[in-house]
Amino acid sequence: MTAPRTLPGHLAHPFSPRGRLDPYPAYRWLREHDPVHFDVTSRMWLLTAHADCALALRDPRFSAALGQRERVRDDELPPSMLTTDPPEHQRLRSPGALLMGPAAIRGIAGDIEAGIAAVLDGLAGRAEIEATADLGEPLATGVLARLFGLPAADVPAFAGLAARVSVNLDPLAGPQAAAAGRAAMGELTRFLGERADAAAKAAEAAAAGKGPGGSPFGRLAADDRLTRAEMLGIAALTVVGGWKPLAEMVGNALHWLLPREEAAGLIRDGGPQAAEPAVDELLRLESPIPFTARVTTEAVPLDGGVIPAGARVLALVGAANRDPAVFDRPDELLVTRSPNPHLAFGAGTHLCLGAPLVRQAGGLLLSGLLERYPGLRRTGKPPAWALGLVPRRLTGFTLAI
């Protein structure tokens, strides 16, 4: 018997205003009844099973380069690891690791830790804070400012640009927001370009033993494998793809942690070593980037049906990350879950280069916050899920400390 091709009437479409507030009932129904679903509203194929989403993220028959062209907006993101397929993807990713790879993160680990300590110090004496404005955004700004080696005088302007370019995350942004995002992207690219030469010289001097360590951005800017436009495209996309999701992850995490004292206690008492794997679990439950677009280059047979060539596909990682075929008690927070093959960081060749940075920075912030402020609790009105699709985030999350 053919599975029904439309959601039952009592379930809101996950992209509708009501469905965006809580997409998980629709995700669950699709995963159980029609995991390879042609959505007549968006004219896209929606994948909700973990196995199918993982395949779409890894298999070269699902093109990332073609997928990024399926944005509703008429602008394209600059070429980067996010928007290209192999072998072009690897050509860009290898030098991109100079900015976001494990060695780059190790080189600034002490600075990141000091910056997070400063954020937490700044909360002392406050009665209330807002999760994103007072925790998430300072975290994201500080981490990225250290990647780019920015002096303190440049940080406020950088934070403003990072906030403004974040609209480029949303593939469904309207014309006015899209125009503002394009303008902000141009400003950010110029901002980074104006600092690239000095950063490259500092990195070259450091490599020759004639100066301090330089920054990851400087080492990227000094690398001759990329054109200047490609280098700046990678740098700008790091800000677009990193600042807002990292900022919003904090509120999403606290939304799950604070009502669950046992889970919060494990992180508070276990420190960063316990908090880093907990970050994976928190991202599994609330992925800031809930889907990834691809286009098939040939017909692809899956257990739930055949996706034709040239099809527009969304791998709904927010659904895949709660697939009971892979995750025991999938809708529960288990901060010690291991293994945890969630797809919030992508998979395959497109696995997010920044994953170690997110785990480290998120773990340091959460463990330090819960240790310093053990009475932290939600206060005021309950926070609300924002209506935007990307990133999935809370608004108005006020905390008493």
Side-chain angles (χ1 to χ4, degrees), residues 297-337:
T297 59
E298 60 182 81
V300 181
L302 301 171
D303 287 345
V306 177
I307 301 180
R312 305 157 67 210
V313 179
L314 286 185
L316 298 177
V317 299
N321 284 345
R322 298 193 185 199
D323 189 340
V326 177
F327 302 100
D328 182 43
R329 296 153 62 190
D331 296 314
E332 297 182 30
L333 174 65
L334 305 177
V335 295
T336 58
R337 185 184 298 274

mmCIF file of all heavy atoms in Angstrom, residues 297-337:
data_model
loop_
_atom_site.group_PDB
_atom_site.id
_atom_site.type_symbol
_atom_site.label_atom_id
_atom_site.label_comp_id
_atom_site.label_asym_id
_atom_site.label_seq_id
_atom_site.Cartn_x
_atom_site.Cartn_y
_atom_site.Cartn_z
ATOM 1 N N THR A 297 22.351 14.216 -9.119
ATOM 2 C CA THR A 297 22.934 14.223 -10.462
ATOM 3 C C THR A 297 22.497 13.013 -11.280
ATOM 4 O O THR A 297 22.740 12.959 -12.485
ATOM 5 C CB THR A 297 24.468 14.248 -10.376
ATOM 6 O OG1 THR A 297 24.909 13.099 -9.641
ATOM 7 C CG2 THR A 297 24.943 15.513 -9.679
ATOM 8 N N GLU A 298 21.890 12.036 -10.611
ATOM 9 C CA GLU A 298 21.301 10.867 -11.273
ATOM 10 C C GLU A 298 20.230 10.312 -10.345
ATOM 11 O O GLU A 298 20.116 10.733 -9.186
ATOM 12 C CB GLU A 298 22.360 9.807 -11.556
ATOM 13 C CG GLU A 298 23.057 9.274 -10.315
ATOM 14 C CD GLU A 298 24.143 8.262 -10.643
ATOM 15 O OE1 GLU A 298 25.262 8.674 -11.000
ATOM 16 O OE2 GLU A 298 23.837 7.057 -10.531
ATOM 17 N N ALA A 299 19.441 9.388 -10.839
ATOM 18 C CA ALA A 299 18.410 8.777 -10.005
ATOM 19 C C ALA A 299 19.069 7.996 -8.863
ATOM 20 O O ALA A 299 20.070 7.300 -9.063
ATOM 21 C CB ALA A 299 17.537 7.845 -10.838
ATOM 22 N N VAL A 300 18.489 8.135 -7.664
ATOM 23 C CA VAL A 300 19.050 7.480 -6.480
ATOM 24 C C VAL A 300 17.960 6.647 -5.810
ATOM 25 O O VAL A 300 16.981 7.198 -5.303
ATOM 26 C CB VAL A 300 19.598 8.500 -5.470
ATOM 27 C CG1 VAL A 300 20.194 7.782 -4.258
ATOM 28 C CG2 VAL A 300 20.631 9.407 -6.120
ATOM 29 N N PRO A 301 18.093 5.310 -5.816
ATOM 30 C CA PRO A 301 17.103 4.477 -5.134
ATOM 31 C C PRO A 301 17.362 4.441 -3.626
ATOM 32 O O PRO A 301 18.499 4.245 -3.188
ATOM 33 C CB PRO A 301 17.308 3.095 -5.766
ATOM 34 C CG PRO A 301 18.739 3.093 -6.208
ATOM 35 C CD PRO A 301 19.087 4.516 -6.552
ATOM 36 N N LEU A 302 16.321 4.646 -2.852
ATOM 37 C CA LEU A 302 16.367 4.544 -1.402
ATOM 38 C C LEU A 302 15.292 3.568 -0.957
ATOM 39 O O LEU A 302 14.400 3.213 -1.742
ATOM 40 C CB LEU A 302 16.145 5.917 -0.745
ATOM 41 C CG LEU A 302 17.146 7.022 -1.105
ATOM 42 C CD1 LEU A 302 16.674 8.370 -0.561
ATOM 43 C CD2 LEU A 302 18.523 6.686 -0.563
ATOM 44 N N ASP A 303 15.350 3.128 0.285
ATOM 45 C CA ASP A 303 14.359 2.166 0.759
ATOM 46 C C ASP A 303 12.938 2.710 0.636
ATOM 47 O O ASP A 303 12.005 1.959 0.363
ATOM 48 C CB ASP A 303 14.627 1.800 2.220
ATOM 49 C CG ASP A 303 15.847 0.905 2.372
ATOM 50 O OD1 ASP A 303 16.294 0.351 1.349
ATOM 51 O OD2 ASP A 303 16.350 0.779 3.502
ATOM 52 N N GLY A 304 12.783 4.029 0.803
ATOM 53 C CA GLY A 304 11.439 4.608 0.754
ATOM 54 C C GLY A 304 11.012 5.084 -0.614
ATOM 55 O O GLY A 304 9.923 5.652 -0.752
ATOM 56 N N GLY A 305 11.831 4.892 -1.640
ATOM 57 C CA GLY A 305 11.462 5.322 -2.978
ATOM 58 C C GLY A 305 12.676 5.769 -3.766
ATOM 59 O O GLY A 305 13.795 5.832 -3.247
ATOM 60 N N VAL A 306 12.450 6.068 -5.034
ATOM 61 C CA VAL A 306 13.529 6.498 -5.924
ATOM 62 C C VAL A 306 13.429 8.004 -6.121
ATOM 63 O O VAL A 306 12.386 8.529 -6.511
ATOM 64 C CB VAL A 306 13.446 5.783 -7.285
ATOM 65 C CG1 VAL A 306 14.536 6.302 -8.233
ATOM 66 C CG2 VAL A 306 13.578 4.279 -7.099
ATOM 67 N N ILE A 307 14.543 8.690 -5.857
ATOM 68 C CA ILE A 307 14.608 10.125 -6.125
ATOM 69 C C ILE A 307 15.140 10.300 -7.541
ATOM 70 O O ILE A 307 16.207 9.789 -7.876
ATOM 71 C CB ILE A 307 15.517 10.838 -5.114
ATOM 72 C CG1 ILE A 307 14.998 10.622 -3.690
ATOM 73 C CG2 ILE A 307 15.600 12.324 -5.428
ATOM 74 C CD1 ILE A 307 15.843 11.298 -2.633
ATOM 75 N N PRO A 308 14.431 11.010 -8.396
ATOM 76 C CA PRO A 308 14.875 11.122 -9.790
ATOM 77 C C PRO A 308 16.092 12.036 -9.938
ATOM 78 O O PRO A 308 16.441 12.794 -9.034
ATOM 79 C CB PRO A 308 13.655 11.717 -10.496
ATOM 80 C CG PRO A 308 12.912 12.437 -9.431
ATOM 81 C CD PRO A 308 13.135 11.661 -8.167
ATOM 82 N N ALA A 309 16.733 11.953 -11.082
ATOM 83 C CA ALA A 309 17.840 12.856 -11.389
ATOM 84 C C ALA A 309 17.338 14.287 -11.448
ATOM 85 O O ALA A 309 16.212 14.553 -11.884
ATOM 86 C CB ALA A 309 18.482 12.460 -12.717
ATOM 87 N N GLY A 310 18.181 15.212 -11.012
ATOM 88 C CA GLY A 310 17.804 16.623 -11.051
ATOM 89 C C GLY A 310 16.823 17.035 -9.978
ATOM 90 O O GLY A 310 16.281 18.144 -10.039
ATOM 91 N N ALA A 311 16.606 16.182 -8.994
ATOM 92 C CA ALA A 311 15.631 16.483 -7.944
ATOM 93 C C ALA A 311 16.236 17.389 -6.887
ATOM 94 O O ALA A 311 17.410 17.260 -6.530
ATOM 95 C CB ALA A 311 15.132 15.196 -7.292
ATOM 96 N N ARG A 312 15.439 18.290 -6.375
ATOM 97 C CA ARG A 312 15.826 19.150 -5.267
ATOM 98 C C ARG A 312 15.533 18.390 -3.976
ATOM 99 O O ARG A 312 14.408 17.966 -3.743
ATOM 100 C CB ARG A 312 15.063 20.458 -5.331
ATOM 101 C CG ARG A 312 15.218 21.187 -6.657
ATOM 102 C CD ARG A 312 14.067 22.144 -6.916
ATOM 103 N NE ARG A 312 14.073 23.247 -5.969
ATOM 104 C CZ ARG A 312 12.969 23.880 -5.566
ATOM 105 N NH1 ARG A 312 11.774 23.473 -5.987
ATOM 106 N NH2 ARG A 312 13.054 24.893 -4.728
ATOM 107 N N VAL A 313 16.542 18.269 -3.126
ATOM 108 C CA VAL A 313 16.458 17.413 -1.938
ATOM 109 C C VAL A 313 16.851 18.216 -0.706
ATOM 110 O O VAL A 313 17.832 18.967 -0.734
ATOM 111 C CB VAL A 313 17.400 16.190 -2.077
ATOM 112 C CG1 VAL A 313 17.341 15.314 -0.831
ATOM 113 C CG2 VAL A 313 17.047 15.387 -3.328
ATOM 114 N N LEU A 314 16.089 18.040 0.362
ATOM 115 C CA LEU A 314 16.485 18.557 1.660
ATOM 116 C C LEU A 314 16.719 17.381 2.599
ATOM 117 O O LEU A 314 15.814 16.578 2.836
ATOM 118 C CB LEU A 314 15.405 19.464 2.265
ATOM 119 C CG LEU A 314 15.238 20.859 1.682
ATOM 120 C CD1 LEU A 314 14.211 21.635 2.510
ATOM 121 C CD2 LEU A 314 16.556 21.616 1.640
ATOM 122 N N ALA A 315 17.928 17.276 3.105
ATOM 123 C CA ALA A 315 18.227 16.313 4.169
ATOM 124 C C ALA A 315 17.874 16.993 5.487
ATOM 125 O O ALA A 315 18.568 17.923 5.920
ATOM 126 C CB ALA A 315 19.695 15.928 4.135
ATOM 127 N N LEU A 316 16.784 16.554 6.105
ATOM 128 C CA LEU A 316 16.294 17.192 7.330
ATOM 129 C C LEU A 316 17.035 16.602 8.524
ATOM 130 O O LEU A 316 16.585 15.658 9.172
ATOM 131 C CB LEU A 316 14.778 16.990 7.460
ATOM 132 C CG LEU A 316 13.936 17.612 6.340
ATOM 133 C CD1 LEU A 316 12.458 17.299 6.534
ATOM 134 C CD2 LEU A 316 14.151 19.113 6.267
ATOM 135 N N VAL A 317 18.192 17.183 8.825
ATOM 136 C CA VAL A 317 19.016 16.617 9.895
ATOM 137 C C VAL A 317 18.332 16.748 11.249
ATOM 138 O O VAL A 317 18.583 15.946 12.158
ATOM 139 C CB VAL A 317 20.420 17.251 9.922
ATOM 140 C CG1 VAL A 317 21.146 16.990 8.624
ATOM 141 C CG2 VAL A 317 20.359 18.740 10.206
ATOM 142 N N GLY A 318 17.450 17.741 11.402
ATOM 143 C CA GLY A 318 16.705 17.842 12.645
ATOM 144 C C GLY A 318 15.808 16.645 12.885
ATOM 145 O O GLY A 318 15.541 16.272 14.031
ATOM 146 N N ALA A 319 15.335 16.035 11.803
ATOM 147 C CA ALA A 319 14.553 14.799 11.910
ATOM 148 C C ALA A 319 15.459 13.588 12.064
ATOM 149 O O ALA A 319 15.218 12.706 12.894
ATOM 150 C CB ALA A 319 13.669 14.631 10.680
ATOM 151 N N ALA A 320 16.520 13.537 11.266
ATOM 152 C CA ALA A 320 17.442 12.401 11.321
ATOM 153 C C ALA A 320 18.059 12.244 12.700
ATOM 154 O O ALA A 320 18.304 11.123 13.164
ATOM 155 C CB ALA A 320 18.539 12.579 10.271
ATOM 156 N N ASN A 321 18.296 13.360 13.367
ATOM 157 C CA ASN A 321 18.956 13.322 14.671
ATOM 158 C C ASN A 321 18.056 12.781 15.785
ATOM 159 O O ASN A 321 18.521 12.613 16.915
ATOM 160 C CB ASN A 321 19.448 14.720 15.052
ATOM 161 C CG ASN A 321 20.697 15.107 14.304
ATOM 162 O OD1 ASN A 321 21.365 14.271 13.717
ATOM 163 N ND2 ASN A 321 21.015 16.391 14.320
ATOM 164 N N ARG A 322 16.799 12.529 15.464
ATOM 165 C CA ARG A 322 15.894 11.916 16.449
ATOM 166 C C ARG A 322 15.315 10.600 15.914
ATOM 167 O O ARG A 322 14.235 10.177 16.327
ATOM 168 C CB ARG A 322 14.774 12.881 16.813
ATOM 169 C CG ARG A 322 15.272 14.172 17.456
ATOM 170 C CD ARG A 322 14.135 14.940 18.072
ATOM 171 N NE ARG A 322 14.575 16.238 18.591
ATOM 172 C CZ ARG A 322 13.884 16.943 19.497
ATOM 173 N NH1 ARG A 322 12.754 16.463 19.974
ATOM 174 N NH2 ARG A 322 14.328 18.112 19.909
ATOM 175 N N ASP A 323 16.056 9.960 15.039
ATOM 176 C CA ASP A 323 15.596 8.706 14.455
ATOM 177 C C ASP A 323 15.781 7.577 15.466
ATOM 178 O O ASP A 323 16.919 7.264 15.853
ATOM 179 C CB ASP A 323 16.404 8.419 13.186
ATOM 180 C CG ASP A 323 15.854 7.242 12.393
ATOM 181 O OD1 ASP A 323 15.118 6.423 12.969
ATOM 182 O OD2 ASP A 323 16.190 7.145 11.198
ATOM 183 N N PRO A 324 14.690 6.928 15.902
ATOM 184 C CA PRO A 324 14.834 5.854 16.897
ATOM 185 C C PRO A 324 15.570 4.637 16.374
ATOM 186 O O PRO A 324 15.998 3.791 17.166
ATOM 187 C CB PRO A 324 13.384 5.522 17.268
ATOM 188 C CG PRO A 324 12.573 5.969 16.098
ATOM 189 C CD PRO A 324 13.281 7.166 15.541
ATOM 190 N N ALA A 325 15.732 4.523 15.063
ATOM 191 C CA ALA A 325 16.523 3.422 14.519
ATOM 192 C C ALA A 325 18.005 3.578 14.859
ATOM 193 O O ALA A 325 18.757 2.599 14.781
ATOM 194 C CB ALA A 325 16.343 3.348 13.004
ATOM 195 N N VAL A 326 18.417 4.778 15.240
ATOM 196 C CA VAL A 326 19.822 5.064 15.528
ATOM 197 C C VAL A 326 20.031 5.484 16.977
ATOM 198 O O VAL A 326 21.036 5.133 17.599
ATOM 199 C CB VAL A 326 20.346 6.169 14.577
ATOM 200 C CG1 VAL A 326 21.784 6.560 14.900
ATOM 201 C CG2 VAL A 326 20.237 5.713 13.123
ATOM 202 N N PHE A 327 19.072 6.224 17.536
ATOM 203 C CA PHE A 327 19.240 6.809 18.865
ATOM 204 C C PHE A 327 18.227 6.224 19.843
ATOM 205 O O PHE A 327 17.011 6.335 19.622
ATOM 206 C CB PHE A 327 19.069 8.331 18.807
ATOM 207 C CG PHE A 327 20.028 9.011 17.865
ATOM 208 C CD1 PHE A 327 19.626 9.388 16.589
ATOM 209 C CD2 PHE A 327 21.336 9.260 18.249
ATOM 210 C CE1 PHE A 327 20.502 10.015 15.718
ATOM 211 C CE2 PHE A 327 22.228 9.873 17.386
ATOM 212 C CZ PHE A 327 21.812 10.251 16.119
ATOM 213 N N ASP A 328 18.711 5.630 20.903
ATOM 214 C CA ASP A 328 17.851 5.179 21.990
ATOM 215 C C ASP A 328 17.249 6.397 22.687
ATOM 216 O O ASP A 328 17.944 7.385 22.920
ATOM 217 C CB ASP A 328 18.675 4.350 22.980
ATOM 218 C CG ASP A 328 17.849 3.812 24.121
ATOM 219 O OD1 ASP A 328 16.719 3.331 23.871
ATOM 220 O OD2 ASP A 328 18.318 3.881 25.273
ATOM 221 N N ARG A 329 15.937 6.332 23.016
ATOM 222 C CA ARG A 329 15.247 7.447 23.668
ATOM 223 C C ARG A 329 15.576 8.750 22.937
ATOM 224 O O ARG A 329 16.143 9.690 23.490
ATOM 225 C CB ARG A 329 15.633 7.528 25.149
ATOM 226 C CG ARG A 329 15.190 6.293 25.923
ATOM 227 C CD ARG A 329 16.041 5.997 27.141
ATOM 228 N NE ARG A 329 16.002 7.078 28.140
ATOM 229 C CZ ARG A 329 16.813 7.120 29.198
ATOM 230 N NH1 ARG A 329 17.720 6.163 29.387
ATOM 231 N NH2 ARG A 329 16.719 8.117 30.064
ATOM 232 N N PRO A 330 15.197 8.837 21.668
ATOM 233 C CA PRO A 330 15.700 9.912 20.804
ATOM 234 C C PRO A 330 15.241 11.312 21.191
ATOM 235 O O PRO A 330 15.899 12.290 20.826
ATOM 236 C CB PRO A 330 15.173 9.533 19.425
ATOM 237 C CG PRO A 330 13.976 8.684 19.695
ATOM 238 C CD PRO A 330 14.308 7.916 20.932
ATOM 239 N N ASP A 331 14.144 11.438 21.893
ATOM 240 C CA ASP A 331 13.642 12.762 22.261
ATOM 241 C C ASP A 331 14.076 13.186 23.657
ATOM 242 O O ASP A 331 13.598 14.202 24.172
ATOM 243 C CB ASP A 331 12.112 12.791 22.166
ATOM 244 C CG ASP A 331 11.629 12.566 20.741
ATOM 245 O OD1 ASP A 331 12.190 13.187 19.827
ATOM 246 O OD2 ASP A 331 10.695 11.761 20.546
ATOM 247 N N GLU A 332 14.994 12.426 24.266
ATOM 248 C CA GLU A 332 15.471 12.746 25.608
ATOM 249 C C GLU A 332 16.914 13.222 25.558
ATOM 250 O O GLU A 332 17.689 12.839 24.689
ATOM 251 C CB GLU A 332 15.367 11.516 26.517
ATOM 252 C CG GLU A 332 13.949 11.019 26.731
ATOM 253 C CD GLU A 332 13.903 9.833 27.679
ATOM 254 O OE1 GLU A 332 14.780 9.746 28.576
ATOM 255 O OE2 GLU A 332 13.010 8.982 27.515
ATOM 256 N N LEU A 333 17.248 14.065 26.555
ATOM 257 C CA LEU A 333 18.615 14.552 26.704
ATOM 258 C C LEU A 333 19.428 13.554 27.524
ATOM 259 O O LEU A 333 19.154 13.335 28.701
ATOM 260 C CB LEU A 333 18.606 15.911 27.410
ATOM 261 C CG LEU A 333 19.971 16.501 27.765
ATOM 262 C CD1 LEU A 333 20.771 16.835 26.512
ATOM 263 C CD2 LEU A 333 19.809 17.745 28.645
ATOM 264 N N LEU A 334 20.424 12.950 26.883
ATOM 265 C CA LEU A 334 21.339 12.029 27.555
ATOM 266 C C LEU A 334 22.745 12.573 27.332
ATOM 267 O O LEU A 334 23.383 12.286 26.310
ATOM 268 C CB LEU A 334 21.210 10.608 26.986
ATOM 269 C CG LEU A 334 19.802 9.987 27.002
ATOM 270 C CD1 LEU A 334 19.825 8.617 26.328
ATOM 271 C CD2 LEU A 334 19.270 9.874 28.423
ATOM 272 N N VAL A 335 23.238 13.370 28.283
ATOM 273 C CA VAL A 335 24.473 14.114 28.035
ATOM 274 C C VAL A 335 25.697 13.217 27.931
ATOM 275 O O VAL A 335 26.751 13.658 27.448
ATOM 276 C CB VAL A 335 24.698 15.200 29.114
ATOM 277 C CG1 VAL A 335 23.618 16.261 29.032
ATOM 278 C CG2 VAL A 335 24.778 14.597 30.501
ATOM 279 N N THR A 336 25.584 11.966 28.359
ATOM 280 C CA THR A 336 26.710 11.036 28.233
ATOM 281 C C THR A 336 26.507 10.077 27.052
ATOM 282 O O THR A 336 27.218 9.071 26.958
ATOM 283 C CB THR A 336 26.887 10.234 29.524
ATOM 284 O OG1 THR A 336 25.676 9.518 29.811
ATOM 285 C CG2 THR A 336 27.210 11.139 30.694
ATOM 286 N N ARG A 337 25.597 10.392 26.155
ATOM 287 C CA ARG A 337 25.306 9.499 25.028
ATOM 288 C C ARG A 337 26.583 9.213 24.231
ATOM 289 O O ARG A 337 27.296 10.128 23.807
ATOM 290 C CB ARG A 337 24.263 10.133 24.113
ATOM 291 C CG ARG A 337 23.803 9.213 22.984
ATOM 292 C CD ARG A 337 22.850 9.919 22.042
ATOM 293 N NE ARG A 337 21.619 10.351 22.679
ATOM 294 C CZ ARG A 337 20.543 9.591 22.834
ATOM 295 N NH1 ARG A 337 20.550 8.348 22.395
ATOM 296 N NH2 ARG A 337 19.453 10.086 23.402
#
